[in-house]
Amino acid sequence: MEYIELFFKSIFIDNMVFATFLGMCSFLAVSKKVATAVGLGAAVIFVMLITVPLNWLLDHYLLQPGALVWLGQDYADYDLSFLSFIMFIATIATMVQLVEIVVEKFSPSLYNSLGIFLPLIAVNCAILGGSLFMQSREIPTLGLATVYGVSSGIGWFLAILAIAAIREKIRYSNVPPALRGLGITFIITGLMAIGFMSFGGMLTGGDDAKKETKTVKVEEPANKDKVKKQLANNTEIIK
Amino acid sequence: MGLLSKKDGKLILDPLTDNNPITIQVLGICSALAITAQLKASIVMAISVTAVVAIGNLIISLMRNIIPSKIRIIVQLVVVAALVIVVDLVLKAFSYELSKTLSVFVGLIITNCIIMGRFEAFALANGPWRSFLDGIGNGAGYGLILIIVGFFRELLGSGTLLGFKVLGDPIEKTGLYAIGYENNGFMLLSPMALIVLGIIIWIQRSRNKALIEDH
């Protein structure tokens, strides 16, 4: 249950693009055609599937305060968490390079479709963002970290697919000249983000006792204004 | 511009307007938008990014002849990550509250496309002094947009600027609130950052027709 909840939560409510604006650069740059958007989106899912659990392991066995306890009691009070940026980005960059080499060797056809996107991914904020959020939200187990990685990737994939489809259509519309291209894409993304906010109330019905106390609080304000306020609070907390 | 030659001055001034990293080059939007709900956070973010991109440009430019091109991305990431750790620790030391607000977005300066973009496009091909100026210029261009967006979102969203209640007190109904003005809480939500930015681009491109794209 926990897994399913986290899965849908990270796809819809905490969508990488619409809730936290991560991966916007490649989102805007590679969303002119649906086919390329699908390629990049698939590559993002794939890389997140690998890097988030890997960084979870690094975080838990190397970086957190007291994580080095497996080396012996002397290391119990070491706190290397200030190194996490450099560790995470190094993991991501090397994994991307490694994935590129492995895919090239074993599946040339997949390499041809994904290949050009892989270098782009090393600097995609969604990937590093996934690892950093994994750390700051204190995701407890390796399994959950994996689910979090995959579902955030899927959320990003959905977002870029949707915007690419809209941009292909919008070519035939009469957009004010100065707004064409980047400007209208920004505004559409904003509107889509507002749309995605409506998913905010989706997961308020949990099944365990702890959740239920929370649910009562959330369900009480049934009218829209209060739900919106709740949402605003949520986004504040996320930030 | 007594200190700088005309060409060097252009390096700083261009990114502020016609070659702005956010509105024209489409770089660095990732970490830019989420933190603009408050003006103060925007200013801090602008300063941090300017410092990182300027110093990073300088370092990469100094090393440009000894970095093997195959692994240059990893080298660049390591340089940026080291600088960002310094920024993060400085923020934590001198303004802990703010570093909590910015949370992971300080870390995300690493993957800010402006930084990698300027390294690739400028620092790898130019000398240290020019690269440093280019970094300052692009950081300032980025900061300018960030501050404009932050200004409007904080002013319209919560009626304050840098925490000062410039429009009066919404609870005691003073100032503008006395005549029935209400804060637009929607401006504080993240999608509005995108829409404000879209409008800024609209205005900029209407003023300078050369920048208009054909779809």
Side-chain angles (χ1 to χ4, degrees):
Chain A
M1 192 59 216
E2 222 182 332
Y3 290 82
I4 300 171
E5 197 179 316
L6 184 70
F7 184 75
F8 285 107
K9 192 167 175 281
S10 7
I11 292 184
F12 292 111
I13 302 175
D14 295 337
N15 187 294
M16 276 286 170
V17 175
F18 296 130
T20 47
F21 297 126
L22 297 182
M24 285 299 283
C25 305
S26 18
F27 177 81
L28 292 169
V30 196
S31 62
K32 282 190 178 133
K33 278 194 189 146
V34 171
T36 44
V38 168
L40 183 68
V44 166
I45 298 181
F46 191 58
V47 173
M48 284 196 92
L49 167 70
I50 299 171
T51 55
V52 174
L54 207 63
N55 280 335
W56 185 90
L57 288 174
L58 275 179
D59 189 36
H60 269 245
Y61 292 104
L62 214 56
L63 298 173
Q64 275 184 0
L68 284 171
V69 121
W70 55 274
L71 277 177
Q73 272 313 316
D74 298 346
Y75 296 91
D77 47 358
Y78 277 48
D79 178 3
L80 296 180
S81 51
F82 70 95
L83 284 176
S84 49
F85 294 158
I86 214 165
M87 288 294 273
F88 287 176
I89 198 70
T91 315
I92 290 167
T94 42
M95 279 319 293
V96 168
Q97 204 95 61
L98 207 66
V99 166
E100 197 179 343
I101 294 167
V102 170
V103 170
E104 190 179 10
K105 172 97 181 137
F106 290 105
S107 165
S109 62
L110 183 66
Y111 179 75
N112 283 335
S113 53
L114 282 189
I116 46 163
F117 298 119
L118 285 170
L120 263 181
I121 284 183
V123 287
N124 187 326
C125 337
I127 312 278
L128 181 65
S131 292
L132 289 176
F133 275 125
M134 178 269 300
Q135 190 191 32
S136 73
R137 287 177 192 169
E138 288 163 3
I139 288 184
T141 63
L142 183 61
L144 279 176
T146 318
V147 171
Y148 180 70
V150 176
S151 50
S152 306
I154 295 175
W156 200 87
F157 175 83
L158 278 181
I160 196 169
L161 189 62
I163 195 83
I166 293 178
R167 283 183 82 170
E168 276 198 356
K169 291 282 174 209
I170 214 161
R171 208 164 299 156
Y172 308 107
S173 325
N174 188 14
V175 180
L179 209 52
R180 268 176 208 160
L182 191 59
I184 194 73
T185 313
F186 268 117
I187 292 178
I188 292 171
T189 314
L191 295 176
M192 284 166 82
I194 295 173
F196 262 69
M197 285 185 148
S198 56
F199 287 115
M202 194 169 76
L203 285 178
T204 42
D207 55 351
D208 47 329
K210 218 178 170 185
K211 272 269 141 53
E212 237 147 52
T213 50
K214 257 188 192 169
T215 334
V216 177
K217 263 190 205 164
V218 182
E219 274 171 3
E220 228 176 348
N223 57 10
K224 254 187 184 172
D225 282 352
K226 285 193 178 163
V227 174
K228 252 182 198 161
K229 242 179 225 167
Q230 191 90 25
L231 249 174
N233 288 342
N234 284 347
T235 41
E236 282 304 316
I237 291 164
I238 289 165
K239 281 169 203 168
Chain B
M1 288 284 155
L3 189 63
L4 303 165
S5 68
K6 209 172 178 188
K7 219 168 140 199
D8 286 349
K10 211 168 145 51
L11 282 178
I12 292 193
L13 292 178
D14 250 14
L16 286 176
T17 53
D18 288 349
N19 196 18
N20 189 286
I22 293 189
T23 60
I24 309 297
Q25 304 175 39
V26 206
L27 296 174
I29 298 144
C30 325
S31 55
L33 296 177
I35 44 91
T36 46
Q38 292 171 339
L39 187 55
K40 197 175 171 193
S42 316
I43 294 174
V44 170
M45 194 69 179
I47 295 171
S48 314
V49 169
T50 310
V52 172
V53 74
I55 300 170
N57 252 354
L58 180 69
I59 295 174
I60 292 291
S61 170
L62 285 171
M63 299 201 300
R64 71 186 187 280
N65 294 326
I66 54 168
I67 302 175
S69 71
K70 281 207 163 163
I71 57 158
R72 65 176 194 283
I73 294 205
I74 297 180
V75 175
Q76 289 164 359
L77 284 173
V78 169
V79 170
V80 187
L83 289 170
V84 170
I85 289 176
V86 174
V87 168
D88 186 41
L89 292 178
V90 168
L91 275 183
K92 273 189 182 139
F94 291 104
S95 117
Y96 189 72
E97 283 304 310
L98 205 59
S99 91
K100 278 276 164 251
T101 330
L102 292 175
S103 71
V104 300
F105 292 98
V106 178
L108 287 171
I109 296 177
I110 299 172
T111 47
N112 192 317
C113 325
I114 288 183
I115 293 173
M116 299 300 288
R118 291 330 291 174
F119 284 3
E120 287 281 311
F122 201 91
L124 282 176
N126 287 284
W129 172 240
R130 283 171 58 82
S131 301
F132 182 72
L133 290 180
D134 180 74
I136 299 260
N138 277 286
Y142 167 89
L144 183 71
I145 298 290
L146 222 62
I147 288 168
I148 294 175
V149 177
F151 176 83
F152 283 111
R153 283 183 75 191
E154 191 176 342
L155 183 68
L156 300 177
S158 37
T160 56
L161 281 179
L162 293 172
F164 295 108
K165 298 192 176 77
V166 287
L167 297 183
D169 196 312
I171 299 160
E172 291 168 16
K173 300 277 175 210
T174 55
L176 264 184
Y177 297 97
I179 52 171
Y181 175 81
E182 287 283 343
N183 283 327
N184 183 358
F186 211 51
M187 291 300 281
L188 293 177
L189 301 182
S190 35
M192 285 313 287
L194 284 165
I195 294 177
V196 171
L197 196 52
I199 293 169
I200 293 176
I201 292 173
W202 192 359
I203 295 170
Q204 189 188 14
R205 293 191 183 178
S206 322
R207 289 171 54 112
N208 187 345
K209 302 278 186 216
L211 299 173
I212 292 174
E213 300 172 49
D214 46 343
H215 288 288

